[in-house]
Amino acid sequence: MIKVKRVYDPLEKDDGIRILVGRLWPRGIRRSQIDVWLKDVAPSDELRRWYNHEPDKWEEFKRRYFEELSRNPKVEILLQLIKKGNNVTLLYASKSPYNNAVALKEYLEKVLKV
């Protein structure tokens, strides 16, 4: 199962493996709160700056991000964790509901045909 939640939300028993998928480490978060940091699956700096969490760019952002992900070998780490039956929680720091963790979950579910 793939979940998405803000890194500042409380830990829950069913979070499973907590994976930070942002390029930057969030303020005030201890390393013990995160199991894995996969900053390499975050959008490129160029794409992140272009998008700037503007909701009207959401669909184009996802298209470009999915293209980046399709060429990114680090995505395989996530896929293997999920295929093993592990609960995985993708963590993000943004206040916006239009963020890369939400898009990444959608991408992973398409690849896995969930």
Side-chain angles (χ1 to χ4, degrees):
M1 176 165 109
I2 305 169
K3 291 175 48 175
V4 175
K5 68 193 283 187
R6 195 156 185 253
V7 71
Y8 300 105
D9 291 342
L11 284 84
E12 296 174 318
K13 285 186 179 187
D14 68 343
D15 280 352
I17 300 170
R18 295 170 48 87
I19 303 171
L20 178 63
V21 293
R23 197 156 298 276
L24 306 173
W25 189 266
R27 288 185 184 177
I29 297 298
R30 295 184 312 272
R31 300 268 179 200
S32 62
Q33 293 173 269
I34 305 219
D35 297 311
V36 179
W37 182 18
L38 288 178
K39 63 182 171 183
D40 294 329
V41 300
S44 64
D45 286 335
E46 179 184 14
L47 179 57
R48 186 174 53 86
R49 287 186 186 113
W50 170 83
Y51 174 50
N52 197 31
H53 295 286
E54 296 176 31
D56 59 319
K57 294 181 178 178
W58 177 242
E59 291 303 321
E60 179 61 17
F61 166 77
K62 287 194 309 182
R63 186 192 70 71
R64 293 180 187 188
Y65 184 37
F66 290 1
E67 189 176 303
E68 286 184 359
L69 290 169
S70 71
R71 297 186 313 265
N72 187 337
K74 297 290 185 175
V75 172
E76 190 59 33
I77 295 168
L78 284 172
L79 292 171
Q80 291 304 317
L81 289 170
I82 296 163
K83 287 177 184 177
K84 287 181 182 177
N86 294 314
N87 280 356
V88 171
T89 299
L90 305 176
L91 301 170
Y92 63 93
S94 170
K95 292 180 181 178
S96 170
Y98 300 98
N99 62 70
N100 71 293
V102 171
L104 179 57
K105 178 181 188 264
E106 182 179 326
Y107 176 83
L108 293 169
E109 289 176 342
K110 283 182 181 179
V111 169
L112 294 167
K113 295 176 176 47
V114 176

